[in-house]
Amino acid sequence: MTKSELMLLLDKRLSILNEAEREDIKQDYAQHIEMKMSEGSSEAEAIASLGDIETIIDETLMAYNIDPNYDKSAHPDIGKKIRQALNSEFAQKTGETLNKGIDAVHKAVQSNTPMDILKAVFKFILYSLAAFVLFVLGFCIFSAISKILHGILPHRFWLDDIVSGALMLMYTVVYVAAVFIAGYSFITKNAKQIRSDSITKEANNMNESIGTVGEAASKINLSPDTSSTPSSQKAGTAAKIFDIFLFILKICIFFAVLPLFFGIIGMMTVLGLFLTALFMGYPTLGICLICLGISICMITFLIFVFKLIFGEGGNKNEA
Amino acid sequence: MNAQFKKGILELVVLISVTKRDMYGYELVSEVSKIIDVNEGTIYPLLKRLTNEHYFETYLKESTEGPPRKYYHLTDAGKAYTEALKTDWESFYAKVEAFIKENS
């Protein structure tokens, strides 16, 4: 953990305190770290000397008579209720799983910028679409197989009906289970990831701004007559305005492509209908292919937009 | 040393350190951590609590190097509390000491 990350963490976890108090506390630790570093410790050593940060946060809250677990009980503990109600091993596992998922979503929503949440929603919709495409493709394949089996197998004891029906049922069950598992891992993993993403991103921003301020300050001290200081400040504000402009532009693009989602969903539905018609014996193969093509085009375009909107931030992080 | 034990004594040591003269946070923390082996970060919440309970008053004072420092000053209530804690500790210590001698 770096100093700026620590400051961010304190900001977040002590958000219940008023700003003056919070700043005062942050100042204490910032000064402590600076003093340690001026005595020759590294930043990491200085922060390590503080001890466990979670303990510090808990004890700080307790100094104000605040229950350190206050934000952990802010959302209903549905999983626990289920655990208590059923009280079996399987039910306990289910409850825990549900709890983890809810907790992850809760944390992600609580501690992320609107942009990150937007990103997660965008991703979620994309994955849902992908899942739907997979479903349609799988449905086609299995329908064909079951049709063929239906034709091959003898009609004695409704063997053909039972086998083809069982095949479709199996496909549906497997698909639903797969989607459930994938969805769950997506939520927990993504929630964690975007959370840490946003923290490092903010920390980077903070570092940058601290860097520019420090630079400007040292320039003022060393050579008050040079004109470099105001120009660097000007460049800073220009960059900031540009960032804001870019952000607004991205939001606009996002809302512009939003109808496309519904377009794709509509296209998929139509595709499904025609496919069903196709397997019922109507000559709709051409229309099916057109629908599939349009859907794939739209998804490709969406992925492109997605990269355009959110890709830059990722590159910046890596650099 | 036992963690709970340390926590109780930490408060007394912090209060006594400030009795002689006002100190700023880092100074106080280094002083106290010399006597009791404790994670330095956990002393700040304690200072906060004692301030919130009006045993400490804080004021900012310019320093020759770096930003102004926050000094802690023991209030009258703080002095009374320190005395009470000290008495508690002494009687507690005497009792335990006597008990140990009796049983060894």
Side-chain angles (χ1 to χ4, degrees), chain A:
Chain A
M1 192 189 285
T2 64
K3 187 177 151 201
S4 52
E5 276 173 337
L6 175 67
M7 294 299 122
L8 269 168
L9 187 68
L10 289 174
D11 250 340
K12 266 180 189 155
R13 298 289 303 278
L14 300 177
S15 60
I16 195 169
L17 303 179
N18 70 42
E19 204 188 332
E21 282 295 326
R22 209 165 49 234
E23 286 305 319
D24 183 53
I25 292 163
K26 278 162 62 191
Q27 195 57 40
D28 280 345
Y29 292 108
Q31 238 177 52
H32 183 97
I33 293 164
E34 277 157 24
M35 292 272 200
K36 270 267 155 180
M37 283 168 77
S38 72
E39 284 174 3
S41 309
S42 70
E43 189 177 338
E45 280 166 2
I47 289 164
S49 79
L50 291 172
D52 180 39
I53 304 300
E54 289 298 317
T55 314
I56 291 174
I57 289 168
D58 284 359
E59 283 185 8
T60 306
L61 288 171
M62 281 194 281
Y64 293 87
N65 291 325
I66 295 167
D67 176 8
N69 293 320
Y70 77 98
D71 65 337
K72 285 162 199 155
S73 56
H75 61 289
D77 198 349
I78 298 169
K80 197 176 171 188
K81 273 182 196 155
I82 292 174
R83 276 205 300 275
Q84 282 168 348
L86 296 171
N87 200 25
S88 71
E89 201 176 318
F90 173 73
Q92 276 186 15
K93 281 245 170 77
T94 316
E96 268 164 34
T97 312
L98 200 62
N99 235 13
K100 257 195 222 159
I102 293 168
D103 206 41
V105 173
H106 175 77
K107 271 186 189 154
V109 170
Q110 198 186 35
S111 60
N112 279 293
T113 57
M115 198 64 178
D116 290 310
I117 294 168
L118 220 64
K119 189 175 169 180
V121 170
F122 209 101
K123 257 191 189 171
F124 183 75
I125 295 173
L126 262 182
Y127 284 139
S128 308
L129 284 173
F132 193 78
V133 172
L134 279 178
F135 176 75
V136 171
L137 288 177
F139 187 83
C140 296
I141 294 164
F142 273 82
S143 305
I145 294 171
S146 75
K147 277 270 166 200
I148 293 166
L149 280 178
H150 196 267
I152 293 171
L153 288 170
H155 191 60
R156 199 179 298 157
F157 305 121
W158 296 283
L159 193 66
D160 48 355
D161 290 333
I162 292 169
V163 168
S164 58
L167 197 67
M168 290 315 292
L169 188 71
M170 193 190 75
Y171 168 68
T172 316
V173 169
V174 168
Y175 178 81
V176 168
V179 164
F180 184 78
I181 293 165
Y184 175 71
S185 67
F186 167 79
I187 288 172
T188 45
K189 205 178 116 195
N190 215 47
K192 246 184 238 161
Q193 191 211 330
I194 57 177
R195 198 168 179 222
S196 58
D197 264 7
S198 73
I199 290 175
T200 42
K201 215 185 289 171
E202 280 174 48
N204 280 347
N205 288 345
M206 213 172 179
N207 271 340
E208 270 168 33
S209 57
I210 288 169
T212 39
V213 170
E215 224 171 77
S218 66
K219 271 175 190 159
I220 291 169
N221 277 339
L222 293 173
S223 49
D225 50 347
T226 51
S227 58
S228 59
T229 314
S231 76
S232 76
Q233 275 174 343
K234 220 181 264 173
T237 41
K240 217 161 247 174
I241 290 169
F242 182 69
D243 273 352
I244 293 167
F245 170 74
L246 215 64
F247 180 73
I248 293 169
L249 192 74
K250 282 173 176 180
I251 295 283
C252 289
I253 295 174
F254 178 77
F255 281 109
V257 297
L258 206 57
L260 231 119
F261 287 137
F262 301 109
I264 292 175
I265 292 165
M267 222 55 209
M268 290 293 179
T269 318
V270 172
L271 179 65
L273 284 175
F274 278 124
L275 274 173
T276 317
L278 182 70
F279 284 107
M280 282 163 78
Y282 296 97
T284 54
L285 184 65
I287 304 175
C288 285
L289 288 179
I290 290 169
C291 289
L292 193 67
I294 293 175
S295 304
I296 290 171
C297 281
M298 281 174 161
I299 291 171
T300 317
F301 181 67
L302 268 186
I303 291 170
F304 169 72
V305 171
F306 179 74
K307 286 274 167 207
L308 190 77
I309 295 183
F310 301 114
E312 259 180 358
N315 289 340
K316 219 186 221 173
N317 265 358
E318 281 161 25

